[in-house]
Amino acid sequence: MKLTLYVDGGARGNPGPAAAGVVLLDEQGSPVHEGGYYLGEATNNVAEYSGLIRGLERAGELGATAVEAFADSELMVKQINGVYRVKAEHLRGLKDRAATLMDGFASATLSHVRRNKNERADALANAAMDRRQDVIRT
């Protein structure tokens, strides 16, 4: 089963209150999971990676064998795809975790998408930041 994953993350302050948004769609484009995850105090980049990690973990729990992921963080996408190296020490473990999760699927890709194509994941991250708690819609 192939799932499409949209992820976003944000922090108000940087670091500041942070959250990640995750949207998983089935092959027909219907949502199978939507979640906003409150992270406490973190940086924007940590929130972006946290969204990717949570989304990949959830895709695995749902039985996906293939994942086509999209994020509006050009930095994270280029780091995961090996175009940029990870200079920030605190992001290396997150990048390695995401890469390991991606390797667990028969097929997994991560591509950059413009913000206007990632509005639902952004809204979920903002809802979790506003409420300072997870917002899950499955």
Side-chain angles (χ1 to χ4, degrees), residues 3 5-7 21-24 33 37 49-62 67 101 105:
L3 294 178
L5 170 63
Y6 288 88
V7 299
V22 172
V23 176
L24 277 162
H33 176 80
Y37 299 95
Y49 270 105
S50 296
L52 179 60
I53 290 166
R54 290 194 186 222
L56 292 168
E57 288 173 341
R58 188 69 182 123
E61 291 166 2
L62 291 169
V67 176
L101 287 166
F105 296 97

Side-chain angles (χ1 to χ4, degrees), residues 31-104:
V32 293
H33 176 80
E34 294 183 325
Y37 299 95
Y38 184 66
L39 304 171
E41 180 143 328
T43 65
N44 184 61
N45 290 331
V46 167
E48 296 279 2
Y49 270 105
S50 296
L52 179 60
I53 290 166
R54 290 194 186 222
L56 292 168
E57 288 173 341
R58 188 69 182 123
E61 291 166 2
L62 291 169
T65 55
V67 176
E68 185 176 16
F70 298 92
D72 60 24
S73 169
E74 190 172 356
L75 175 72
M76 180 181 69
V77 170
K78 287 189 175 185
Q79 287 176 335
I80 289 288
N81 290 324
V83 177
Y84 294 165
R85 62 186 183 89
V86 180
K87 295 178 186 176
E89 184 67 35
H90 69 284
L91 296 179
R92 286 191 187 127
L94 295 170
K95 188 257 184 191
D96 291 344
R97 174 71 179 139
T100 298
L101 287 166
M102 289 179 76
D103 288 344

